[in-house]
PDB file of all heavy atoms in Angstrom:
ATOM      1  N   GLN A  93      -3.753  12.050   1.061  1.00  0.00           N
ATOM      2  CA  GLN A  93      -3.110  11.465  -0.111  1.00  0.00           C
ATOM      3  C   GLN A  93      -3.984  11.514  -1.363  1.00  0.00           C
ATOM      4  O   GLN A  93      -3.672  10.858  -2.349  1.00  0.00           O
ATOM      5  CB  GLN A  93      -2.775   9.993   0.141  1.00  0.00           C
ATOM      6  CG  GLN A  93      -1.850   9.728   1.276  1.00  0.00           C
ATOM      7  CD  GLN A  93      -1.841   8.238   1.574  1.00  0.00           C
ATOM      8  OE1 GLN A  93      -2.886   7.619   1.738  1.00  0.00           O
ATOM      9  NE2 GLN A  93      -0.662   7.662   1.620  1.00  0.00           N
ATOM     10  N   LEU A  94      -5.054  12.242  -1.353  1.00  0.00           N
ATOM     11  CA  LEU A  94      -6.004  12.211  -2.464  1.00  0.00           C
ATOM     12  C   LEU A  94      -5.334  12.366  -3.828  1.00  0.00           C
ATOM     13  O   LEU A  94      -5.723  11.721  -4.789  1.00  0.00           O
ATOM     14  CB  LEU A  94      -7.075  13.290  -2.299  1.00  0.00           C
ATOM     15  CG  LEU A  94      -8.089  13.057  -1.187  1.00  0.00           C
ATOM     16  CD1 LEU A  94      -9.044  14.237  -1.077  1.00  0.00           C
ATOM     17  CD2 LEU A  94      -8.865  11.787  -1.402  1.00  0.00           C
ATOM     18  N   ASN A  95      -4.325  13.215  -3.908  1.00  0.00           N
ATOM     19  CA  ASN A  95      -3.660  13.423  -5.198  1.00  0.00           C
ATOM     20  C   ASN A  95      -2.685  12.305  -5.550  1.00  0.00           C
ATOM     21  O   ASN A  95      -2.126  12.298  -6.632  1.00  0.00           O
ATOM     22  CB  ASN A  95      -2.937  14.772  -5.219  1.00  0.00           C
ATOM     23  CG  ASN A  95      -1.841  14.859  -4.185  1.00  0.00           C
ATOM     24  OD1 ASN A  95      -1.810  14.090  -3.235  1.00  0.00           O
ATOM     25  ND2 ASN A  95      -0.936  15.808  -4.359  1.00  0.00           N
ATOM     26  N   GLU A  96      -2.516  11.330  -4.674  1.00  0.00           N
ATOM     27  CA  GLU A  96      -1.605  10.210  -4.911  1.00  0.00           C
ATOM     28  C   GLU A  96      -2.349   8.898  -5.175  1.00  0.00           C
ATOM     29  O   GLU A  96      -1.739   7.837  -5.214  1.00  0.00           O
ATOM     30  CB  GLU A  96      -0.677  10.029  -3.703  1.00  0.00           C
ATOM     31  CG  GLU A  96       0.185  11.238  -3.409  1.00  0.00           C
ATOM     32  CD  GLU A  96       0.958  11.085  -2.103  1.00  0.00           C
ATOM     33  OE1 GLU A  96       1.170   9.948  -1.650  1.00  0.00           O
ATOM     34  OE2 GLU A  96       1.322  12.120  -1.540  1.00  0.00           O
ATOM     35  N   PHE A  97      -3.635   8.935  -5.383  1.00  0.00           N
ATOM     36  CA  PHE A  97      -4.426   7.723  -5.513  1.00  0.00           C
ATOM     37  C   PHE A  97      -4.263   7.016  -6.853  1.00  0.00           C
ATOM     38  O   PHE A  97      -4.887   6.008  -7.098  1.00  0.00           O
ATOM     39  CB  PHE A  97      -5.905   8.014  -5.269  1.00  0.00           C
ATOM     40  CG  PHE A  97      -6.267   8.221  -3.816  1.00  0.00           C
ATOM     41  CD1 PHE A  97      -7.548   8.570  -3.467  1.00  0.00           C
ATOM     42  CD2 PHE A  97      -5.342   8.064  -2.803  1.00  0.00           C
ATOM     43  CE1 PHE A  97      -7.907   8.757  -2.137  1.00  0.00           C
ATOM     44  CE2 PHE A  97      -5.680   8.248  -1.473  1.00  0.00           C
ATOM     45  CZ  PHE A  97      -6.965   8.596  -1.142  1.00  0.00           C
ATOM     46  N   TYR A  98      -3.405   7.520  -7.725  1.00  0.00           N
ATOM     47  CA  TYR A  98      -3.204   6.915  -9.045  1.00  0.00           C
ATOM     48  C   TYR A  98      -2.795   5.440  -8.950  1.00  0.00           C
ATOM     49  O   TYR A  98      -3.056   4.664  -9.858  1.00  0.00           O
ATOM     50  CB  TYR A  98      -2.160   7.685  -9.845  1.00  0.00           C
ATOM     51  CG  TYR A  98      -0.770   7.546  -9.279  1.00  0.00           C
ATOM     52  CD1 TYR A  98       0.075   6.527  -9.706  1.00  0.00           C
ATOM     53  CD2 TYR A  98      -0.306   8.397  -8.283  1.00  0.00           C
ATOM     54  CE1 TYR A  98       1.338   6.364  -9.161  1.00  0.00           C
ATOM     55  CE2 TYR A  98       0.951   8.245  -7.739  1.00  0.00           C
ATOM     56  CZ  TYR A  98       1.760   7.232  -8.181  1.00  0.00           C
ATOM     57  OH  TYR A  98       3.006   7.070  -7.631  1.00  0.00           O
ATOM     58  N   TRP A  99      -2.133   5.050  -7.877  1.00  0.00           N
ATOM     59  CA  TRP A  99      -1.660   3.671  -7.742  1.00  0.00           C
ATOM     60  C   TRP A  99      -2.746   2.708  -7.287  1.00  0.00           C
ATOM     61  O   TRP A  99      -2.614   1.497  -7.409  1.00  0.00           O
ATOM     62  CB  TRP A  99      -0.459   3.584  -6.799  1.00  0.00           C
ATOM     63  CG  TRP A  99      -0.778   3.944  -5.369  1.00  0.00           C
ATOM     64  CD1 TRP A  99      -0.697   5.168  -4.798  1.00  0.00           C
ATOM     65  CD2 TRP A  99      -1.239   3.058  -4.345  1.00  0.00           C
ATOM     66  NE1 TRP A  99      -1.078   5.106  -3.487  1.00  0.00           N
ATOM     67  CE2 TRP A  99      -1.411   3.818  -3.179  1.00  0.00           C
ATOM     68  CE3 TRP A  99      -1.508   1.695  -4.302  1.00  0.00           C
ATOM     69  CZ2 TRP A  99      -1.857   3.265  -1.985  1.00  0.00           C
ATOM     70  CZ3 TRP A  99      -1.959   1.133  -3.113  1.00  0.00           C
ATOM     71  CH2 TRP A  99      -2.125   1.931  -1.968  1.00  0.00           C
ATOM     72  N   LEU A 100      -3.840   3.254  -6.792  1.00  0.00           N
ATOM     73  CA  LEU A 100      -4.947   2.397  -6.383  1.00  0.00           C
ATOM     74  C   LEU A 100      -5.658   1.864  -7.621  1.00  0.00           C
ATOM     75  O   LEU A 100      -5.654   2.494  -8.682  1.00  0.00           O
ATOM     76  CB  LEU A 100      -5.948   3.187  -5.527  1.00  0.00           C
ATOM     77  CG  LEU A 100      -5.455   3.576  -4.136  1.00  0.00           C
ATOM     78  CD1 LEU A 100      -6.420   4.559  -3.490  1.00  0.00           C
ATOM     79  CD2 LEU A 100      -5.269   2.344  -3.264  1.00  0.00           C
ATOM     80  N   PRO A 101      -6.291   0.704  -7.511  1.00  0.00           N
ATOM     81  CA  PRO A 101      -7.025   0.164  -8.660  1.00  0.00           C
ATOM     82  C   PRO A 101      -8.092   1.148  -9.137  1.00  0.00           C
ATOM     83  O   PRO A 101      -8.659   1.904  -8.338  1.00  0.00           O
ATOM     84  CB  PRO A 101      -7.680  -1.104  -8.116  1.00  0.00           C
ATOM     85  CG  PRO A 101      -6.996  -1.414  -6.838  1.00  0.00           C
ATOM     86  CD  PRO A 101      -6.393  -0.148  -6.328  1.00  0.00           C
ATOM     87  N   SER A 102      -8.389   1.111 -10.413  1.00  0.00           N
ATOM     88  CA  SER A 102      -9.383   2.037 -10.978  1.00  0.00           C
ATOM     89  C   SER A 102     -10.774   1.807 -10.398  1.00  0.00           C
ATOM     90  O   SER A 102     -11.631   2.673 -10.493  1.00  0.00           O
ATOM     91  CB  SER A 102      -9.427   1.897 -12.502  1.00  0.00           C
ATOM     92  OG  SER A 102      -9.763   0.568 -12.859  1.00  0.00           O
ATOM     93  N   THR A 103     -11.001   0.653  -9.771  1.00  0.00           N
ATOM     94  CA  THR A 103     -12.295   0.337  -9.164  1.00  0.00           C
ATOM     95  C   THR A 103     -12.371   0.727  -7.685  1.00  0.00           C
ATOM     96  O   THR A 103     -13.440   0.625  -7.080  1.00  0.00           O
ATOM     97  CB  THR A 103     -12.581  -1.174  -9.280  1.00  0.00           C
ATOM     98  OG1 THR A 103     -11.502  -1.885  -8.666  1.00  0.00           O
ATOM     99  CG2 THR A 103     -12.732  -1.593 -10.735  1.00  0.00           C
ATOM    100  N   CYS A 104     -11.265   1.156  -7.107  1.00  0.00           N
ATOM    101  CA  CYS A 104     -11.222   1.486  -5.674  1.00  0.00           C
ATOM    102  C   CYS A 104     -12.125   2.681  -5.375  1.00  0.00           C
ATOM    103  O   CYS A 104     -12.052   3.715  -6.047  1.00  0.00           O
ATOM    104  CB  CYS A 104      -9.790   1.794  -5.257  1.00  0.00           C
ATOM    105  SG  CYS A 104      -9.644   2.310  -3.536  1.00  0.00           S
ATOM    106  N   ALA A 105     -12.965   2.554  -4.360  1.00  0.00           N
ATOM    107  CA  ALA A 105     -13.909   3.617  -4.009  1.00  0.00           C
ATOM    108  C   ALA A 105     -13.203   4.929  -3.694  1.00  0.00           C
ATOM    109  O   ALA A 105     -13.704   5.995  -4.055  1.00  0.00           O
ATOM    110  CB  ALA A 105     -14.775   3.188  -2.828  1.00  0.00           C
ATOM    111  N   TYR A 106     -12.063   4.878  -3.031  1.00  0.00           N
ATOM    112  CA  TYR A 106     -11.338   6.118  -2.719  1.00  0.00           C
ATOM    113  C   TYR A 106     -10.958   6.839  -4.007  1.00  0.00           C
ATOM    114  O   TYR A 106     -11.149   8.041  -4.153  1.00  0.00           O
ATOM    115  CB  TYR A 106     -10.083   5.820  -1.893  1.00  0.00           C
ATOM    116  CG  TYR A 106     -10.371   5.177  -0.568  1.00  0.00           C
ATOM    117  CD1 TYR A 106     -10.012   3.854  -0.328  1.00  0.00           C
ATOM    118  CD2 TYR A 106     -11.010   5.880   0.450  1.00  0.00           C
ATOM    119  CE1 TYR A 106     -10.283   3.252   0.892  1.00  0.00           C
ATOM    120  CE2 TYR A 106     -11.285   5.287   1.670  1.00  0.00           C
ATOM    121  CZ  TYR A 106     -10.917   3.971   1.888  1.00  0.00           C
ATOM    122  OH  TYR A 106     -11.182   3.378   3.084  1.00  0.00           O
ATOM    123  N   ARG A 107     -10.421   6.096  -4.950  1.00  0.00           N
ATOM    124  CA  ARG A 107     -10.017   6.685  -6.230  1.00  0.00           C
ATOM    125  C   ARG A 107     -11.243   7.093  -7.056  1.00  0.00           C
ATOM    126  O   ARG A 107     -11.279   8.194  -7.616  1.00  0.00           O
ATOM    127  CB  ARG A 107      -9.159   5.686  -7.006  1.00  0.00           C
ATOM    128  CG  ARG A 107      -8.699   6.222  -8.340  1.00  0.00           C
ATOM    129  CD  ARG A 107      -7.734   5.276  -8.997  1.00  0.00           C
ATOM    130  NE  ARG A 107      -7.471   5.692 -10.358  1.00  0.00           N
ATOM    131  CZ  ARG A 107      -6.680   5.040 -11.187  1.00  0.00           C
ATOM    132  NH1 ARG A 107      -6.065   3.931 -10.788  1.00  0.00           N
ATOM    133  NH2 ARG A 107      -6.503   5.466 -12.412  1.00  0.00           N
TER     134      ARG A 107
END
Side-chain angles (χ1 to χ4, degrees):
Q93 300 169 309
L94 289 177
N95 62 342
E96 300 173 22
F97 285 176
Y98 69 91
W99 66 269
L100 290 170
S102 59
T103 57
C104 176
Y106 299 111
R107 180 173 171 181

